[in-house]
Amino acid sequence: MKLFTYTFSRISLLLVILISIWGVFFYLTILDEVIDETDDSLANYKAIIIRKVLIEPEIMYEQPGLIGQYTFRKLTPDEANKHKERYYNSTVYMETEDEYEPVRVLETSFRAADGEYYELRLMMLTFEKDDMIRKLFFYIALLYLLFFLFSLWGTRLILKRAFHPLNRLLEWLNLIQPGKEVPGLSNETHIMEFNKLNGAALSLAYRARKAYLEQKTFIENASHELQTPLAIIQGKVDMLAEDENLTEQQGTGLNDIYITLSRAIKLNRSLLLLSRIENGQYPGEGSTEANKVVRELVKQMEELYGHKEVKVQLADKTLLILECNEELIYILFSNLIRNAFIHSPGKGVIRIDINSSGFVITNPGDQPLDEKLIFHRFYRGNPGKENSTGLGLSIVKAICTVSNLEISYNYKGEHQFVLKKIN
Amino acid sequence: MKILVIEDERALRNTIAGSLRKEQFIVEEAGDLIGALQKINDYDYDCVVLDIMLPGGNGLNILEELKKRHRLESVLIISAKDSLEDKIRGLDLGADDYLAKPFHLAELNARIKSILRRRYSAGELSVEIGNVKLWPDTRTLSVDGKELELNRKEFDLFYYFAVNPNRVLNKMTLAESVWGDHIDQSDSFDFIYSQVKNLRKKLKLAGATPEIKAVYGFGYKLSVN
């Protein structure tokens, strides 16, 4: 979830809740106030009528006015004692309208000049009140909606502006690549936190660049330091082998040195290759037709491992074009295909399937390999293979990572490596 | 033929020089940039074997100096760096070939001979060994003037023997010369064994005088009398 979406949605939610609560509260308060006003009017009216009745008792028997209707009823002293003043809502039938209309009623009791107790029932039509409440509700709702929309619009605008430096910083971070110069960062902002973040990101990038360069130099120096002694040993062994008086036993011993030395040389070269791939020192330009490379490699391996009589079933009718460095593609397929040949038992069948989005190679084998460790450096599935550097599949993995490819291993009675393009 | 070996590591320099002297070259040595520049200033060479990383400066300076003076020396760069940029830069500056350390002496020998052959043979780039003559560019070979057909790998193998006559070549060196770097050499011994066997048979049938001999436990040698 985007920070903007998160903040915006939370603020919106908060606004909805707060404004709703406030709206309901406001509506109820106003409603209460209106009823209160009506009751006050009724009480006022009551005082006027009672005062009038005390002076002119005969109006008790006259027809009441149009707006405020009232009735009198005589009470026994007992009833009068228990009688309590109360306000309540009721309806009354209106002949003119031929329907019941809402009224607010006040029931109260008093003692008239003749010493008798009377109950006064006062009614006031409240349809005006309903109308008012309806209007009130409408305007509150309108205000609520407008306020809500404008606050959302305003919040959105403010948040967009506030997060702008952050978005720019993120775009800049995406530009940073190991081994490449740190790109310039122009992200002026008044917000202190973002300014600090800019500074921290920039200094981190420079430190990473420095560490990268130091590491690169170290690897290059290490390689130089190691390659030269290796070259000396190799030269010396070459010279020793020239000795006419070499016995067969010495020759065999020398050969062992030679083989071990070659392994050390190959290991050193593989490590260098790996670090170069990982440092992105192979430009990823050009597109390579994988079918051609695979066909060529299969032909080479068939010659090389001819004595094993391994059969290859190659399905390469569909063209697979890979957009990456040609040399790396060659190393990638060479490692995968060679592995299949080396680890297949004699007279085994290797199946290679090329399609437009990838490559699948399957070879027989009775023991599944650990798919979690198989691409790690120096993992050896088969301890008997002492000549393997344990780096072949790490190199495959590294090439895939820099070339937008994905490699996976599975075992279903046979070893299978699946190479896929990532779009 | 005169060759100047510029390499700061004394042991490696001596080994290279010793190996080249065996091939009847006249070899001189330099261990640093100043010494190398002095030698170049004073003498002419047919080929310069040049290490890039030298005490006192970059070996490519020597290459630049040679080109500035329009000198004709062929240059073979040997470098421990083996980086693409170095290789491209060296070849751009006019080096004839580039060999990454560590290398087999036989490989160095083959590269130098190839460079010199290109320089001195006017048009006909052939190698003669005993009564066998081979043309690396057209990949053809004849014994006593009669063409002998070899498959691609057999030709590569014989070429390697031919530029390293009378030298003991390890099985692994041979495998690398035929297959390149990306091949697991230890798995190719059986292949080398059968290819050498076939090659021997074909040469013998054609009546070639050079003979491939096994050096027990180590490899093979093309002996020419």
Side-chain angles (χ1 to χ4, degrees):
Chain A
M1 191 187 249
K2 282 169 84 176
L3 179 61
F4 173 76
T5 320
Y6 177 81
T7 323
F8 186 63
S9 66
R10 293 308 133 114
I11 290 178
S12 309
L13 192 68
L14 191 69
L15 277 177
V16 168
I17 294 169
L18 283 181
I19 297 176
S20 301
I21 292 173
W22 174 81
V24 170
F25 175 75
F26 182 72
Y27 177 75
L28 289 178
T29 313
I30 292 292
L31 203 64
D32 200 46
E33 194 59 33
V34 169
I35 290 168
D36 214 39
E37 279 298 309
T38 317
D39 291 354
D40 279 356
S41 299
L42 281 171
N44 226 4
Y45 206 12
K46 175 192 92 177
I48 293 169
I49 290 172
I50 292 175
R51 207 180 302 142
K52 236 180 168 182
V53 166
L54 286 178
I55 302 165
E56 310 168 61
E58 52 287 0
I59 56 168
M60 275 197 272
Y61 310 102
E62 281 173 14
Q63 200 58 39
L66 267 175
I67 299 170
Q69 287 187 338
Y70 54 87
T71 54
F72 294 95
R73 189 164 65 90
K74 203 178 227 178
L75 297 173
T76 59
D78 227 26
E79 275 180 309
N81 256 341
K82 283 177 196 158
H83 200 277
K84 268 188 188 154
E85 194 175 77
R86 66 184 182 113
Y87 294 89
Y88 62 92
N89 294 326
S90 179
T91 51
V92 70
Y93 181 69
M94 295 283 286
E95 276 173 57
T96 48
E97 306 277 327
D98 189 26
E99 59 183 15
Y100 287 90
E101 293 291 347
V103 286
R104 183 78 177 165
V105 182
L106 166 61
E107 268 181 20
T108 186
S109 58
F110 67 98
R111 201 175 175 192
D114 57 3
E116 295 289 341
Y117 292 96
Y118 292 91
E119 178 200 69
L120 171 60
R121 202 161 165 267
L122 259 172
M123 281 175 284
M124 198 178 259
L125 279 166
T126 54
F127 50 73
E128 277 176 42
K129 184 196 86 181
D130 280 359
D131 202 33
M132 198 174 112
I133 286 167
R134 223 169 286 134
K135 278 241 165 70
L136 186 70
F137 182 78
F138 170 74
Y139 280 108
I140 289 181
L142 187 70
L143 177 73
Y144 170 83
L145 196 74
L146 285 180
F147 180 70
F148 182 65
L149 287 179
F150 276 99
S151 0
L152 286 195
W153 177 71
T155 318
R156 204 179 135 83
L157 209 70
I158 293 166
L159 284 181
K160 276 247 160 175
R161 209 161 271 184
F163 287 142
H164 191 57
L166 186 64
N167 288 332
R168 262 198 304 211
L169 183 65
L170 286 175
E171 277 167 24
W172 176 80
L173 282 171
N174 271 335
L175 294 178
I176 296 178
Q177 277 184 331
K180 300 258 168 77
E181 284 286 345
V182 178
L185 173 64
S186 68
N187 195 12
E188 293 281 319
T189 167
H190 301 301
I191 301 169
M192 188 189 75
E193 283 85 350
F194 286 147
N195 258 331
K196 275 189 176 171
L197 198 58
N198 281 344
L202 207 59
S203 101
L204 188 67
Y206 281 125
R207 265 180 290 151
R209 167 88 181 143
K210 192 165 161 262
Y212 172 85
L213 289 178
E214 276 167 6
Q215 188 200 14
K216 194 172 163 234
T217 316
F218 173 77
I219 290 171
E220 277 171 9
N221 287 349
S223 92
H224 176 74
E225 296 306 323
L226 210 55
Q227 303 275 58
T228 306
L230 286 172
I232 294 169
I233 301 171
Q234 195 164 47
K236 294 285 175 202
V237 176
D238 273 336
M239 297 295 268
L240 266 179
E242 304 275 305
D243 192 338
E244 296 286 335
N245 303 320
L246 206 65
T247 65
E248 187 181 340
Q249 201 185 0
Q250 285 168 328
T252 312
L254 213 51
N255 189 51
D256 289 345
I257 296 176
Y258 211 84
I259 289 171
T260 316
L261 180 64
S262 294
R263 222 179 115 197
I265 289 168
K266 198 173 158 56
L267 196 61
N268 197 39
R269 279 195 181 146
S270 295
L271 277 172
L272 279 174
L273 177 67
L274 202 53
S275 69
R276 268 189 212 132
I277 295 168
E278 282 169 356
N279 289 344
Q281 282 164 333
Y282 284 89
E285 288 147 23
S287 57
T288 312
E289 187 193 321
N291 305 51
K292 230 168 105 184
V293 176
V294 171
R295 273 197 298 271
E296 188 189 318
L297 283 164
V298 166
K299 204 176 142 221
Q300 275 192 24
M301 302 290 171
E302 276 177 336
E303 274 184 79
L304 190 56
Y305 296 99
H307 59 279
K308 286 184 90 167
E309 294 178 52
V310 168
K311 264 216 167 92
V312 178
Q313 291 174 358
L314 180 61
D316 68 338
K317 293 277 182 287
T318 328
L319 211 59
L320 172 62
I321 304 287
L322 297 174
E323 308 283 335
C324 24
N325 185 289
E326 193 179 342
E327 196 179 340
L328 291 186
I329 290 305
Y330 188 86
I331 297 171
L332 169 75
F333 284 118
S334 153
N335 281 357
L336 285 176
I337 297 172
R338 188 176 59 235
N339 267 353
F341 270 90
I342 292 173
H343 298 292
S344 285
K347 297 190 178 165
V349 177
I350 296 172
R351 277 179 289 123
I352 297 176
D353 192 5
I354 301 178
N355 53 57
S356 60
S357 64
F359 161 98
V360 182
I361 184 162
T362 315
N363 72 279
D366 9 287
Q367 288 269 313
L369 299 165
D370 190 334
E371 55 189 296
K372 284 201 187 81
L373 296 174
I374 190 167
F375 296 108
H376 283 200
R377 292 179 184 196
F378 304 117
Y379 169 77
R380 285 183 185 82
N382 185 350
K385 286 296 299 178
E386 59 172 22
N387 279 316
S388 114
T389 57
L391 289 174
L393 286 174
S394 310
I395 291 172
V396 166
K397 179 85 178 171
I399 293 174
C400 287
T401 308
V402 299
S403 308
N404 265 334
L405 297 169
E406 189 184 74
I407 182 88
S408 58
Y409 165 81
N410 63 68
Y411 182 84
K412 286 180 202 123
E414 288 180 306
H415 300 296
Q416 187 171 64
F417 285 91
V418 181
L419 184 78
K420 254 193 204 144
K421 273 198 209 177
I422 305 172
N423 295 314
Chain B
M1 295 267 192
K2 235 167 102 186
I3 297 181
L4 175 64
V5 177
I6 306 170
E7 159 68 55
D8 60 322
E9 199 74 37
R10 195 183 51 83
L12 186 60
R13 192 172 67 235
N14 288 347
T15 312
I16 294 172
S19 160
L20 292 175
R21 282 190 188 108
K22 262 195 179 163
E23 298 292 324
Q24 311 302 319
F25 290 114
I26 298 157
V27 184
E28 293 202 18
E29 303 170 33
D32 55 25
L33 193 72
I34 313 233
L37 284 171
Q38 273 173 359
K39 290 255 184 208
I40 281 169
N41 200 36
D42 297 347
Y43 307 100
D44 284 324
Y45 297 92
D46 296 290
C47 180
V48 177
V49 177
L50 178 63
D51 182 18
I52 292 188
M53 285 165 138
L54 288 174
N58 193 315
L60 291 177
N61 292 344
I62 295 170
L63 191 53
E64 277 168 355
E65 191 63 31
L66 284 171
K67 295 301 152 185
K68 221 186 329 182
R69 297 191 196 177
H70 303 288
R71 295 273 291 263
L72 296 170
E73 277 89 347
S74 304
V75 177
L76 171 69
I77 293 176
I78 49 172
S79 168
K81 269 174 133 185
D82 189 23
S83 72
L84 208 60
E85 303 104 82
D86 269 8
K87 197 167 179 171
I88 290 169
R89 210 171 140 227
L91 295 179
D92 270 355
L93 280 173
D96 296 77
D97 207 347
Y98 182 102
L99 192 57
K101 279 184 201 171
F103 46 79
H104 301 291
L105 289 177
E107 182 65 30
L108 178 73
N109 203 9
R111 301 274 186 117
I112 289 175
K113 283 190 178 168
S114 162
I115 289 173
L116 293 176
R117 203 167 57 243
R118 262 156 227 286
R119 245 190 92 179
Y120 292 110
S121 58
E124 198 182 71
L125 302 173
S126 63
V127 181
E128 262 190 89
I129 188 100
N131 62 351
V132 181
K133 197 169 177 183
L134 72 158
W135 291 265
D137 293 318
T138 54
R139 310 184 68 84
T140 48
L141 179 141
S142 71
V143 180
D144 275 335
K146 252 175 72 189
E147 195 171 323
L148 173 65
E149 241 182 79
L150 297 181
N151 72 32
R152 217 162 54 101
K153 300 292 174 214
E154 284 167 353
F155 185 89
D156 287 343
L157 263 179
F158 187 73
Y159 172 73
Y160 209 69
F161 276 120
V163 290
N164 289 294
N166 292 320
R167 293 189 81 138
V168 180
L169 301 175
N170 188 270
K171 286 172 273 189
M172 204 170 273
T173 318
L174 290 169
E176 248 178 58
S177 75
V178 178
W179 293 109
D181 286 342
H182 300 309
I183 291 301
D184 207 345
Q185 306 91 338
S186 51
D187 280 298
S188 51
F189 288 166
D190 291 330
F191 178 80
I192 290 297
Y193 175 77
S194 62
Q195 293 288 305
V196 168
K197 210 171 88 182
N198 290 344
L199 191 57
R200 266 168 153 175
K201 214 195 285 170
K202 283 190 183 177
L203 289 173
K204 205 173 172 187
L205 270 173
T209 49
E211 195 187 342
I212 299 174
K213 284 182 176 161
V215 176
Y216 290 108
F218 194 78
Y220 301 93
K221 167 174 159 175
L222 184 73
S223 73
V224 190
N225 300 314

